[in-house]
Amino acid sequence: SQQGEEDPQALSIQEGENATMNCSYKTSINNLQWYRQNSGRGLVHLILIRSNEREKHSGRLRVTLDTSKKSSSLLITASRAADTASYFCATSSGGYQKVTFGTGTKLQVIP
Amino acid sequence: GAVVSQHPSRVICKSGTSVKIECRSLDFQATTMFWYRQFPKQSLMLMATSNEGSKATYEQGVEKDKFLINHASLTLSTLTVTSAHPEDSSFYICSAGTSGGATDTQYFGPGTRLTVL
């Protein structure tokens, strides 16, 4: 079953704007990861944030995690047309490597 | 970084035939591999967890006799879709985790698109 739900389901912005995607999950986690998927392609791992971390940065990406609200957000700053893709959050819990994916947000960045 | 490959990348087959998909970790040993299925415009759904040298663990609702998984070595896991039907058409993605059980990051393959006519 799906662990995470993301919103919005779809997001369309102009190049240069920031894009924010949110992910909510249901059970306790060890970590939360964000992935990108271009249409019909495999997954690209973007960033991992552990349950004891609140914020993490990687280039133009900023991820926050609020374990009390069981939610995370992914912010892409100064978006580019190449950022157009689907973005998924994925949670991992227990000592097991198994991850469970959210429903995804489809981002379109208009040049 | 760790690389995971899948073969084939795309396959079209007739209904009733069996299709084998390979997942390889190219530069690391993977004690555990995962198989996911993704229908169009949907998220990835975990099908099964493949452990080297032991039987795979299937998620609820996934038929183990239809989706045969073999993890014969630390670098190879195969998924065989037996007697494929059009409803099995999907994007199948594998991932691999490094040994030790403590690694958080999985490395994903590029996926295999299966079309059953």
Side-chain angles (χ1 to χ4, degrees):
Chain A
S1 60
Q2 295 288 143
Q3 161 74 307
E5 293 191 4
E6 294 172 64
D7 78 273
Q9 289 187 337
L11 180 62
S12 184
I13 59 174
Q14 295 289 327
E15 200 166 31
E17 294 180 338
N18 296 340
T20 300
M21 289 158 267
N22 302 295
C23 168
S24 61
Y25 56 92
K26 297 175 183 175
T27 62
S28 297
I29 62 171
N30 280 351
N31 64 70
L32 185 145
Q33 304 174 56
W34 285 90
Y35 290 87
R36 183 183 71 208
Q37 184 182 36
N38 289 74
S39 180
R41 297 285 193 86
L43 293 171
V44 175
H45 181 260
L46 296 176
I47 197 165
L48 178 151
I49 186 165
R50 300 185 190 281
S51 61
N52 61 353
E53 297 176 310
R54 292 296 167 260
E55 189 171 310
K56 209 162 183 181
H57 296 79
S58 177
R60 293 184 296 115
L61 306 180
R62 174 178 166 249
V63 169
T64 63
L65 178 64
D66 187 334
T67 53
S68 67
K69 295 181 179 178
K70 292 187 169 58
S71 68
S72 174
S73 68
L74 170 67
L75 169 68
I76 303 174
T77 60
S79 64
R80 305 167 182 168
D83 295 329
T84 295
S86 290
Y87 291 82
F88 296 92
C89 67
T91 55
S92 177
S93 54
Y96 197 45
Q97 297 172 357
K98 172 179 168 179
V99 297
T100 304
F101 283 84
T103 51
T105 294
K106 189 169 185 178
L107 172 67
Q108 181 184 28
V109 181
I110 303 168
Chain B
V3 178
V4 176
S5 70
Q6 279 185 243
H7 178 79
S9 58
R10 185 181 295 266
V11 57
I12 300 173
C13 69
K14 293 182 179 180
S15 186
T17 60
S18 294
V19 175
K20 180 185 283 188
I21 302 170
E22 292 185 350
C23 177
R24 293 181 185 273
S25 56
L26 297 185
D27 51 2
F28 67 99
Q29 293 185 328
T31 51
T32 305
M33 289 184 172
F34 301 88
W35 287 95
Y36 296 84
R37 180 169 54 185
Q38 184 181 32
F39 292 107
K41 299 183 180 180
Q42 293 187 25
S43 187
L44 284 76
M45 297 298 293
L46 180 66
M47 298 175 66
T49 302
S50 168
N51 295 295
E52 188 266 336
S54 63
K55 290 184 179 180
T57 303
Y58 290 82
E59 295 299 302
Q60 192 173 10
V62 179
E63 299 174 57
K64 62 180 181 180
D65 294 330
K66 180 168 183 62
F67 299 99
L68 301 179
I69 292 173
N70 185 294
H71 193 158
S73 75
L74 287 172
T75 58
L76 173 64
S77 176
T78 60
L79 168 68
T80 301
V81 183
T82 62
S83 187
H85 289 96
E87 57 265 30
D88 298 322
S89 297
S90 188
F91 194 52
Y92 291 86
I93 304 176
C94 72
S95 70
T98 57
S99 60
T103 303
D104 297 308
T105 303
Q106 292 182 27
Y107 301 96
F108 284 82
T112 296
R113 185 162 301 283
L114 170 64
T115 303
V116 185
L117 303 176

